[in-house]
Amino acid sequence: MRRLSKIAAVVAVAALALVGCGRNDEPSTAPDASESTSTGDLCADSTGDGPKVGLAYDVGGRGDQSFNDSAFAGLEKAVGDLGATCVEGEATEGEAESAREGRLREMADAGLNPIIGVGFAYSTSVNVVAPEYPEVSFAVIDGFDPDAEANPNVAYLGFAEQEGSFLVGAAAALKSEADHIGFVGGVNIDLIKKFQAGFEAGAREINPDIVIDVQYIEETDLAGFADPAGGKEAATALFDKGADIVYHAAGASGSGVFEAATEADKWAIGVDSDQYLSAPADQQAHILTSMLKRVDVATFNMVKSVADGSPLVSYTTYNLAAEGVGYSTSGGYIDDIAADLDALAERIKSGEIEVPTVPAS
Amino acid sequence: MNPAVLVRKLGLALLAPLIAVVAAMIVTSGVLVVAGASIGDFWSVIFSAPSGRNWTNIVNQSSMIFLAALAASIGFRMNLFNIGIEGQYTLASYTAALVAGLALFPGKLNVLAALLIAMGVGGVWAGIAGILKVTRGVSEVISTIMLNAIAGGIVGYLISNYGEQFGQGRRTTPIPEGSSFDGWALFGDNSGEVWSLVLLAVLAGVGVSFLINRTRFGFDLRATGLNEDAAVASGVNVKKMVVVSMLLSGGIAGLIWMPALFNGADYYGPPFQRLLGFTGIAVALLGRNRPIGIFFGAVLFAWLSEQANPLSLIADISPSVVQITQGVVVLTVVIAYEVVRRWSASAEQRSLRNAEAST
């Protein structure tokens, strides 16, 4: 019995420890490598008299070099341009819904306005907390109103990810020598299927016969966005099957996709931020382009709308026409096809091409 | 009982957890120093008086952690290491939410049906590991952890293919209004509500306590855990015991998320609270597999998690530090019990020698 409890204790502690490190072990090449213990200096040092911004991240938080970091970039700009001050909060894995609500209430009680939930997982908790603080403006990036009752103080900031993904899909089809490409999704949910749908449609627009393989890291567990090992495994499988370009929509798991591309000497396409800029030098030569989802623009605009006295409410969609999505050219690997991509972009903006949001098959 | 013996017994019961908690605090403080954060800020946030709403959340969370730890403790009492609680309650929660959403029965009858289904599904999922162990000799550690992954995959597949569209995700159909409970505002207005089904944890705790300590089955279970050979010699059917206790452990695991479901969660979807199964294992160890000990362990864990939430806002410290505290408590409690046991054994020997010398 005593021996069992010792073994059990070790396993239990290991389980807790693994949970803890699951999201913090991605290689930290960002200038601020201390994100696991402190939320950095930007907010501590900001002393402006602009809006007091509360930014609540989802699991993973800052340092994913993708989605969350993009929101942080918007915050940085708000601090610089609008004299904003800020407080950051971050979800822990496996936390209760009440903890999420608690984080938002703490921020509202601390006098922050606006309060921005980064990630659709804040939709339900914002819906509970926002009515309690009618004078505070809330925003949820990728969010939605879960009930029929409209919230007069919540902005839902969505993106036309399928349009940006369409362009990188076309770029992949133009650049693929094997006529075989792949897609790695973090979690098999409707949000990520939008990326997949656009990517496939864009590739087929260029080459209707192209082979496209799809791998998801997790079915519903949001840990799929913070699992570099899982991302590497999925991408390696796609490269082994014959793909020579893999696009990922997997948040922090994407660093594993870049590793796989580097080891296989193939191409990867980044997501959300311009991931060429944050990747280590050896991986940069394998990042063809990145689909830009301008979470920074959405974050900044939200803060600005509050500073201007007319806070955003209800749904706003950042699409190609609004420059809310796009693609990056860092590295110069797609300079030769930029004209083709821009022509496609014009056809999407004019409405001539309507990009699907649900994968065809 | 002789007062000296009583003091020793009390000492063993109280000293070990006390040493464990103090040691965990010292280790956590060390981690804070290494991370360059303020120790004073950290502990003042953790030990600040909880608000009414904090209390509500602590009670609600404790009930789920308690059920998870209770499920783990049943296996532990007979040396069965059921680490599949995570998978058992995930699958059970999904199935129960699905069935409750179908509203096959009116009003609260729907709740009863869902609870039975949750226990059934959790039990069957754990029972698979039990049957594999007794028929094929598969270690339950291996099979339950594999079953966790399978349960996650099944639920994921079902929800993304048959779930209802819900923003960017999927969920089960919400349960009908008549099937959810209102809860009680015990800690003042505007402080949220204590879930009515917290009572489920109390009932399960009393029930398991009675079963283990006052029935033939409980005696056999404890006997098997203490010495399997002796149990077999005295006529205990160990194979049957393994399967039955896995069924029981899984059945209780099935109940873990039910208080949340019927007090506001309303559906299985993105807000589902994961990882309670693993927290339960830690708390079962902390509570020495006794319901009363588990109760205090559950409250401690719920307290730490709840109080940690404002850490990053107030003190600029990551709430993950609390996970270190929780992990270290589990380790130190096992070590502390061993140390205290040795002290008390040698103290007993000394007193025996003294007694001999004086006669």
Side-chain angles (χ1 to χ4, degrees):
Chain A
M1 178 65 202
R2 272 204 310 281
R3 203 164 64 88
L4 175 94
S5 52
K6 276 174 212 158
I7 298 169
V10 170
V11 175
V13 171
L16 284 166
L18 288 175
V19 166
C21 69
R23 59 172 180 284
N24 283 334
D25 61 354
E26 61 257 28
S28 215
T29 50
D32 178 12
S34 61
E35 71 274 355
S36 57
T37 49
S38 102
T39 43
D41 292 322
L42 178 78
C43 288
D45 295 345
S46 58
T47 52
D49 53 2
K52 296 178 190 164
V53 186
L55 202 59
Y57 300 108
D58 202 353
V59 174
R62 236 171 73 207
D64 66 349
Q65 294 162 23
S66 178
F67 183 68
N68 290 308
D69 279 357
S70 187
F72 179 73
L75 184 65
E76 248 175 336
K77 187 161 151 49
V79 170
D81 294 6
L82 305 172
T85 53
C86 53
V87 174
E88 294 169 290
E90 180 188 328
T92 47
E93 187 145 11
E95 74 176 10
E97 193 62 6
S98 62
R100 235 173 242 284
E101 293 167 10
R103 183 170 310 113
L104 298 169
R105 284 196 187 95
E106 293 280 348
M107 288 182 164
D109 289 338
L112 302 176
N113 186 13
I115 295 170
I116 303 172
V118 183
F120 72 94
Y122 278 99
S123 299
T124 36
S125 40
V126 165
N127 193 52
V128 171
V129 175
E132 298 169 15
Y133 299 91
E135 73 287 359
V136 178
S137 296
F138 291 84
V140 190
I141 292 170
D142 286 342
F144 66 100
D145 194 347
D147 58 21
E149 211 172 311
N151 294 310
N153 58 334
V154 183
Y156 299 102
L157 311 175
F159 292 84
E161 293 94 349
Q162 72 279 8
E163 295 183 357
S165 301
F166 185 96
L167 295 181
V168 297
L174 287 166
K175 283 287 179 185
S176 174
E177 284 162 14
D179 286 336
H180 189 157
I181 56 177
F183 173 81
V184 173
V187 186
N188 192 358
I189 52 177
D190 292 7
L191 172 65
I192 303 304
K193 286 183 192 162
K194 271 163 85 181
F195 291 80
Q196 184 198 336
F199 182 69
E200 292 178 344
R204 297 226 159 89
E205 178 74 24
I206 300 296
N207 177 0
D209 300 323
I210 197 163
V211 181
I212 307 172
D213 288 324
V214 174
Q215 281 273 345
Y216 279 93
I217 299 171
E218 289 284 349
E219 277 298 318
T220 53
D221 187 344
L222 297 184
F225 291 124
D227 179 9
K232 185 172 178 182
E233 200 179 312
T236 304
L238 294 176
F239 288 129
D240 286 349
K241 275 200 215 163
D244 58 357
I245 302 177
V246 168
Y247 171 43
H248 87 85
S253 311
S255 63
V257 175
F258 297 144
E259 270 178 46
T262 308
E263 281 174 21
D265 196 19
K266 303 273 172 65
W267 289 109
I269 298 177
V271 79
D272 295 348
S273 301
D274 183 354
Q275 298 199 291
Y276 178 89
L277 300 178
S278 54
D282 62 324
Q283 291 179 7
Q284 282 183 335
H286 297 275
I287 299 177
L288 186 66
T289 173
S290 297
M291 195 288 276
L292 300 178
K293 172 170 168 178
R294 302 299 301 272
V295 178
D296 54 337
V297 172
T299 307
F300 177 77
N301 286 354
M302 181 67 202
V303 180
K304 187 164 189 307
S305 75
V306 171
D308 293 346
S310 55
L312 288 171
V313 288
S314 191
Y315 288 89
T316 309
T317 302
Y318 289 87
N319 57 17
L320 209 50
E323 299 197 347
V325 292
Y327 65 94
S328 68
T329 53
S330 302
Y333 304 125
I334 55 166
D335 286 353
D336 54 329
I337 56 169
D340 298 315
L341 298 182
D342 290 340
L344 283 172
E346 286 310 317
R347 286 168 65 197
I348 294 171
K349 285 184 201 168
S350 69
E352 187 191 331
I353 298 178
E354 201 172 314
V355 185
T357 54
V358 181
S361 47
Chain B
M1 198 187 288
N2 154 350
V5 176
L6 192 68
V7 167
R8 256 205 308 277
K9 288 229 165 200
L10 264 179
L12 183 69
L14 294 178
L15 191 62
L18 199 69
I19 294 174
V21 170
V22 171
M25 284 175 67
I26 294 170
V27 173
T28 309
S29 302
V31 170
L32 289 168
V33 169
V34 172
S38 156
I39 300 175
D41 284 355
F42 179 81
W43 293 113
S44 74
V45 172
I46 295 294
F47 290 120
S48 62
S51 69
R53 187 179 291 279
N54 292 143
W55 276 118
T56 306
N57 292 340
I58 290 170
V59 171
N60 290 341
Q61 288 294 310
S62 299
S63 72
M64 294 197 288
I65 297 173
F66 178 83
L67 283 168
L70 195 65
S73 73
I74 293 171
F76 288 170
R77 287 302 286 271
M78 63 170 284
N79 281 353
L80 271 178
F81 197 25
N82 175 13
I83 49 175
I85 294 165
E86 184 72 19
Q88 289 144 26
Y89 97 93
T90 305
L91 198 63
S93 303
Y94 169 75
T95 319
L98 185 76
V99 172
L102 291 175
L104 300 175
F105 304 96
K108 301 291 188 273
L109 212 55
N110 203 15
V111 178
L112 190 65
L115 291 181
L116 291 175
I117 284 168
M119 291 187 75
V121 171
V124 166
W125 203 246
I128 295 173
I131 287 171
L132 281 174
K133 186 179 174 75
V134 298
T135 59
R136 315 296 319 161
V138 180
S139 161
E140 77 283 1
V141 176
I142 307 295
S143 56
T144 50
I145 204 146
M146 293 301 166
L147 285 164
N148 278 347
I150 297 170
I154 291 177
V155 171
Y157 175 81
L158 291 175
I159 200 127
S160 57
N161 285 283
Y162 303 104
E164 183 181 292
Q165 174 94 33
F166 181 56
Q168 309 278 16
R170 299 279 173 138
R171 65 172 179 186
T172 60
T173 311
I175 59 174
E177 229 163 82
S179 298
S180 65
F181 292 94
D182 282 337
W184 308 294
L186 294 187
F187 299 102
D189 295 337
N190 269 330
S191 295
E193 286 172 338
V194 170
W195 300 334
S196 326
L197 287 189
V198 161
L199 292 179
L200 209 58
V202 179
L203 280 178
V206 172
V208 167
S209 199
F210 180 82
L211 188 72
I212 302 276
N213 297 316
R214 295 272 180 274
T215 64
R216 166 78 195 273
F217 171 81
F219 179 81
D220 287 353
L221 186 137
R222 283 179 290 142
T224 316
L226 289 171
N227 188 332
E228 190 174 322
D229 295 334
V232 171
S234 69
V236 175
N237 181 345
V238 171
K239 286 190 170 181
K240 191 184 121 204
M241 291 298 298
V242 167
V243 175
V244 173
S245 48
M246 282 305 274
L247 286 174
L248 200 59
S249 179
I252 293 192
L255 292 175
I256 293 172
W257 193 64
M258 293 300 106
L261 175 62
F262 292 107
N263 282 272
D266 288 348
Y267 52 84
Y268 181 98
F272 175 71
Q273 190 176 351
R274 299 169 45 245
L275 301 178
L276 283 168
F278 293 114
T279 310
I281 293 173
V283 171
L285 288 165
L286 191 60
R288 306 294 286 172
N289 299 325
R290 305 298 189 276
I292 190 77
I294 290 172
F295 166 76
F296 286 113
V299 172
L300 175 69
F301 266 49
W303 172 291
L304 286 172
S305 297
E306 178 67 20
Q307 296 288 83
N309 203 24
L311 265 181
S312 67
L313 304 183
I314 297 175
D316 201 15
I317 298 171
S318 167
S320 315
V321 172
V322 156
Q323 285 171 340
I324 297 176
T325 316
Q326 291 175 335
V328 172
V329 166
V330 175
L331 275 184
T332 51
V333 89
V334 173
I335 297 166
Y337 267 100
E338 182 64 25
V339 169
V340 171
R341 192 190 62 82
R342 287 186 191 168
W343 280 350
S344 91
S346 62
E348 212 159 299
Q349 279 173 349
R350 254 197 318 277
S351 74
L352 277 177
R353 266 200 304 276
N354 290 346
E356 261 169 44
S358 61
T359 48

